Amino acid sequence: MKLEELLRQVPGEPVFRAGFLAGSSESLSVLRLQLSRWVGAGKLIQLAKGLYTLAEPYRKLTPHPFVLANAMKKASYVSLQSALAHFGMIPEHVPTVTSVTTQRPARVETPLGRFLFRHVKKSWFNGYTQVDLGSGQKAFVATPEKALLDLVYLTPGADDYEFLVELRLQNLTRLDREVLIRLAGTSKSPKLERAAKLIERLMDEEGGREL
């Protein structure tokens, strides 16, 4: 395969897998060797085994970090501080994209950013939706309620009022009380149920400040 043929096949793809190109005349092993050479030449960026994106100036679309995170682990969705920052619920910029997965936890460093994958049990792998990120890109991201509860779930001692205050949560009107309480209840976790009540308290306090 020549580079021109590759560019014709993936012009608007933010990321692609070697298997996506397997319909070409080369065998998959030969194709992977060619892809490796292009990575070495700086024409491609390898994000994970078999996962690539075009390097500049060849790519027409800069891949959104959430799209990259979803592609690195198929059974995953963006959550915790990354989702909360996306929804404008915490003031800080979050340089590492954190996702939730039922697979093994992992930390991945790439030329396009840092990615952290936190493990949860299958029964807690829910509460996410597909979000439009612009430029035709979409990714699975936790709802605001689930992102906050995921953070509590994965952080020791997070069912504490002072911990939640230190998050400097904002725009709490984005939270749906019924969804928050329902999610905490279905978890059957006393920790999450306690945290949900404390989050409701913060919602009431924020509402009082706005009056």
Side-chain angles (χ1 to χ4, degrees):
M1 175 184 287
K2 294 183 179 180
L3 182 62
E4 292 77 11
E5 183 181 350
L6 172 67
L7 296 178
R8 285 196 300 270
Q9 290 197 43
V10 294
E13 296 293 331
V15 293
F16 63 91
R17 296 186 178 277
F20 178 79
L21 308 170
S24 63
S25 57
E26 294 98 340
S27 67
L28 188 57
S29 60
V30 172
L31 179 60
R32 285 174 174 163
L33 178 60
Q34 180 61 70
L35 292 173
S36 178
R37 289 172 178 165
W38 284 331
V39 170
K43 296 176 181 179
L44 292 181
I45 297 172
Q46 184 169 7
L47 301 165
K49 184 178 180 180
L51 183 67
Y52 304 86
T53 185
L54 295 170
E56 293 183 341
Y58 302 101
R59 64 172 178 252
K60 297 181 180 179
L61 181 66
T62 299
H64 192 286
F66 289 6
V67 172
L68 298 180
N70 277 194
M72 287 177 188
K73 283 190 181 288
K74 290 185 178 180
S76 71
Y77 61 88
V78 176
S79 190
L80 287 83
Q81 289 95 333
S82 298
L84 293 173
H86 173 75
F87 292 120
M89 295 187 63
I90 56 174
E92 293 85 4
H93 168 68
V94 182
T96 299
V97 177
T98 302
S99 299
V100 161
T101 180
T102 57
Q103 300 176 22
R104 291 182 179 180
R107 186 182 297 272
V108 182
E109 298 270 351
T110 79
L112 297 184
R114 299 192 300 270
F115 302 86
L116 179 64
F117 296 90
R118 305 288 305 274
H119 171 79
V120 298
K121 57 186 180 181
K122 290 184 178 180
S123 62
W124 188 240
F125 190 81
N126 54 49
Y128 59 92
T129 187
Q130 193 173 60
V131 172
D132 188 343
L133 302 168
S135 301
Q137 300 187 70
K138 297 180 179 180
F140 291 111
V141 181
T143 64
E145 300 82 13
K146 188 58 161 46
L148 194 47
L149 290 177
D150 279 345
L151 178 58
V152 173
Y153 177 89
L154 291 165
T155 306
D159 56 332
D160 177 78
Y161 181 74
E162 294 303 322
F163 172 85
L164 294 170
V165 167
E166 289 175 2
L167 290 177
R168 297 195 292 162
L169 294 168
Q170 59 191 22
N171 298 320
L172 290 175
T173 54
R174 298 202 65 149
L175 295 176
D176 185 314
R177 288 175 186 263
E178 291 185 4
V179 172
L180 178 72
I181 297 301
R182 177 177 55 78
L183 281 172
T186 56
S187 72
K188 302 187 184 304
S189 164
K191 175 185 179 182
L192 292 181
E193 291 177 350
R194 286 192 298 269
K197 291 179 180 178
L198 292 173
I199 293 166
E200 278 199 296
R201 176 179 166 186
L202 291 174
M203 294 171 70
D204 290 336
E205 291 173 357
E206 183 183 73
R209 289 194 299 270
E210 292 173 354
L211 292 178

